[in-house]
């Protein structure tokens, strides 16, 4: 496997246009096929949960979302059901207790997690990317969303790893959190890194979320 840094200009041109598309939707209310999405909504009783291993934020954020429904899937269940793979689109990349911030000991992306959810009672869960309409709509329906982002809430270099079966994205300081609400000023986050809740401003949220290609997982029974 080889890892190369993607061109910042090329990557961020695509990211810029994606952000421009969603900018029209933030932060006001939005009309969807299902009806009007309110300009603000905060889910009540979102549990606070902290990850059990140093790099299992993705499993922990999803576990917290399932705990919201009173049907928690543990981090250990995700670990055992999914396994490990150099490609985070297929399995957990690296060691669970490795150091945070690099691309060797890393984490996992939504697709393998979605498979476990659908096999364990969360059959309406789905993946979407950089879509504030879906983000707002699902949160307003009391469906927590797992968000992939840069854990510093800044930006980080983007690398493309080459493998025999294709390429995949790696971003230093990759992290996952659980979104549970929004208003005109930002998005409400439950962060499993330290088991806390806080709000992130829309500009910061969109920039950091977009750095991970806007990966998101709606957790729905």
């Amino acid at each position: 496997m080889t890892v190369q840094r993607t061109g910042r200009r090329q990557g961020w041109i695509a990211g810029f246009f994606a952000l421009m598309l969603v900018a029209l939707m933030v932060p006001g209310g939005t009309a969807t096929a299902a009806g009007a999405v309110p300009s603000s909504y905060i889910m009540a009783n979102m549990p606070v949960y902290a990850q059990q291993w140093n790099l299992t934020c993705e499993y922990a954020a999803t576990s917290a979302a399932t705990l919201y429904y009173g049907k928690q899937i543990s981090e250990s269940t995700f670990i055992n059901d999914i396994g490990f793979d150099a490609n985070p689109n297929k399995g957990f990349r690296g060691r669970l207790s490795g150091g945070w911030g690099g691309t060797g000991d890393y984490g996992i992306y939504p697709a393998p997690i979605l498979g476990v959810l659908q096999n364990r009672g969360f059959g309406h869960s789905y993946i979407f990317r950089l879509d504030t309409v879906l983000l707002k709509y699902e949160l307003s329906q009391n469906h927590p969303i797992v968000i992939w982002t840069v854990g510093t809430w800044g930006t980080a270099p983007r690398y493309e790893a080459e493998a025999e079966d294709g390429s995949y994205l790696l971003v230093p300081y990759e992290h996952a959190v659980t979104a549970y609400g929004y208003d005109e000023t930002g998005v409400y986050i439950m962060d499993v890194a330290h088991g806390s809740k806080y709000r992130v401003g829309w500009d910061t949220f969109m920039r950091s979320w977009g750095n991970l290609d806007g990966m998101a997982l709606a957790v729905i029974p």
Side-chain angles (χ1 to χ4, degrees):
M1 178 190 72
T2 60
V3 178
Q4 62 185 36
R5 183 169 175 172
T6 59
R8 275 187 174 272
R9 179 179 176 85
Q10 181 179 3
W12 281 105
I13 286 175
F16 171 79
F17 283 111
L19 290 174
M20 287 297 291
L21 286 174
V22 298
L24 296 175
M25 309 169 190
V26 179
T30 307
T32 72
V37 174
S39 60
S40 64
Y41 191 88
I42 301 172
M43 293 168 51
N45 303 317
M46 181 66 208
V48 173
Y49 178 82
Q51 63 197 72
Q52 297 181 3
W53 288 269
N54 199 39
L55 294 183
T56 56
C57 56
E58 305 93 345
Y59 293 154
T62 312
S63 183
T66 63
L67 177 59
Y68 170 79
Y69 297 103
K71 302 187 294 183
Q72 185 175 20
I73 301 175
S74 70
E75 292 182 56
S76 295
T77 297
F78 287 111
I79 293 168
N80 294 331
D81 284 6
I82 294 172
F84 297 83
D85 196 286
N87 185 343
N89 293 301
K90 296 182 176 181
F92 193 96
R93 177 181 172 90
R95 299 172 298 168
L96 303 174
S97 297
W100 180 59
T103 58
D105 294 323
Y106 189 72
I108 191 167
Y109 291 156
I113 298 175
L114 176 62
V116 176
L117 287 172
Q118 292 179 334
N119 288 332
R120 290 184 174 271
F122 290 83
H124 291 93
S125 300
Y126 68 95
I127 294 167
F128 66 93
R129 290 179 181 267
L130 205 67
D131 190 326
T132 57
V133 173
L134 287 176
L135 177 71
K136 290 180 175 183
Y137 174 73
E138 295 298 356
L139 292 175
S140 72
Q141 300 300 303
N142 293 309
H143 299 153
I145 308 293
V146 181
I147 296 289
W148 273 254
T149 184
V150 177
T152 61
W153 291 110
T155 59
R158 291 162 53 91
Y159 298 93
E160 183 178 343
E162 298 289 344
E164 292 182 359
D165 56 351
S167 62
Y168 49 88
L169 174 69
L170 296 172
V171 179
Y173 299 100
E174 174 267 341
H175 187 44
V177 297
T178 311
Y180 69 95
Y182 64 90
D183 59 23
E184 294 186 350
T185 60
V187 181
Y188 289 79
I189 298 297
M190 196 287 292
D191 194 333
V192 294
H194 30 72
S196 64
K197 293 179 177 179
Y198 54 85
R199 182 186 56 79
V200 178
W202 275 112
D203 288 345
T204 298
F205 177 82
M206 295 302 297
R207 186 182 308 113
S208 191
W209 187 26
N211 208 164
L212 266 292
D213 285 349
M215 289 185 282
L217 176 59
V219 179
I220 309 170

